[in-house]
Amino acid sequence: MTINSGADHGGFETLAIHAGQEPDPRTGAVVPPIYQVSTYKQDGVGGLRDGYEYSRSANPTRHALEECLAALEGGSRALAFASGLAAEDCLLRAVCAPGDHVVIPDDAYGGTFRLMARVFAEWGVSYRPVPISDVAAVRDALAERPARVLWAETPTNPLLSVADIGALADIAHQAGALLVVDNTFASPYLQQPLALGADAVVHSTTKYLGGHSDVVGGAVVVADQALGERLAFLQNATGAVAGPFDAWLTLRGVKTLAVRMDQHSRNAARVADMLTRHPAVLEVRYPGLPGHPGHEVAAKQMRDFGGMVSFRVRGGEEAAVAACGRTRLFTLGESLGGVESLVEHPARMTHASAAGSPLEVPDDLIRLSVGIETGEDLLEDLRQALAGL
Ligand SMILES: *Cc1c(COP(=O)(O)O)cnc(C)c1O
């Protein structure tokens, strides 16, 4: 399929705006049209135009997004899905069979944990949570029981631990495992796992890539062409594709990813700095803080430290829940990565499904998705929400 080929080289910002997004050949429309269509006229039986046959198999708007994401992650192939979890599910099915074993982070995204523990485990794919910021612990786990996949998330959700992607790629490959990196929190602008040795990158494009809290989507990007083919087969065979309008919204969001991530990172650094000096705050987790255990690794493998900040407050769960309810500009809600700031209580909200498991999170933890509003307004809102704790 050659339509929408667009730019295939250039700087990150250029690729974000042009890769896969050549002006429409018929009309010159500058932005890829929304091909809201299920089927395509054939010029005689089997005479497909540019390979388009049926929109589960391929759709030009989705294809434009897939080309753009492959370019942004430096992969050979990207596949766009209806959600991040659909992307994870497809990737795990592409590389695992019953009897295989997967090592996951002990503070993985709650939905990833649920997918492993409640879906894949029942189909005979076992898993083990390991603190993946600890390279020696991962090496031991892989030596103890060979794994098909080492699953990494960095920074992690919600504790913002940092894993050394290059080091994990080495030990995964020595142990015969594939390294998968969930790059949702960093986005390809801040971190490029494939260049650091990962075999596959997964995204919830719902978050920073889409960036406007108006679409749910996911993606897998791989370097290896054969794995890309296998994924494309399964994407079509199992069918959880991104719809044309969802793909278009995501593509629109991606164009401004670089400028948004710069502002998210700037605002988050200011928020983290203010919180470290606030009397109601016990601990701040932000990879940009020099005291963060993963700071040096993050500084080595990330362009900047991103927009997510988590912190623990004095007064336990009740105090944390109360503070979450007092913000005015930070909206209380799940999800992250949009232009607007969000606040949430992971133990009762996004990570409630991890209660009682090794992935349980502290109940005095508050997670912020720091948006791109005026920095001073965000600081003021947090100060008033924390006053009196
Ligand atoms: C949200 C999220 C997912 C799941 O993506 P959905 O689009 O909600 O299915 C996976 N990983 C991380 C790190 C996330 O934040």
Side-chain angles (χ1 to χ4, degrees), residues 131-156:
I132 56 146
S133 50
D134 180 347
V135 174
V138 177
R139 190 184 287 115
D140 289 349
L142 290 173
E144 232 166 75
R145 177 157 184 194
R148 181 77 184 113
V149 171
L150 170 58
W151 190 280
E153 208 183 296
T154 182
T156 60

Side-chain angles (χ1 to χ4, degrees), residues 232-265:
F233 166 78
L234 269 177
Q235 183 197 40
N236 181 49
T238 60
V241 295
F245 186 51
D246 288 359
W248 185 89
L249 278 172
T250 307
L251 202 49
R252 176 184 161 119
V254 164
K255 289 177 191 287
T256 55
L257 181 66
V259 289
R260 284 187 286 110
M261 292 315 292
D262 283 340
Q263 173 77 352
H264 281 297
S265 300

Side-chain angles (χ1 to χ4, degrees), residues 83-85 88 109 112 153 157 182 184-185 204 206-207 216-217 336:
S83 72
L85 282 171
E88 294 186 18
Y109 171 69
T112 301
E153 208 183 296
N157 180 4
D182 182 334
T184 299
F185 267 38
S204 170
T206 313
K207 316 294 169 53
V216 171
L336 61 109

Side-chain angles (χ1 to χ4, degrees), residues 122-139:
E122 295 199 358
W123 288 90
V125 176
S126 60
Y127 70 96
R128 172 169 172 186
V130 171
I132 56 146
S133 50
D134 180 347
V135 174
V138 177
R139 190 184 287 115

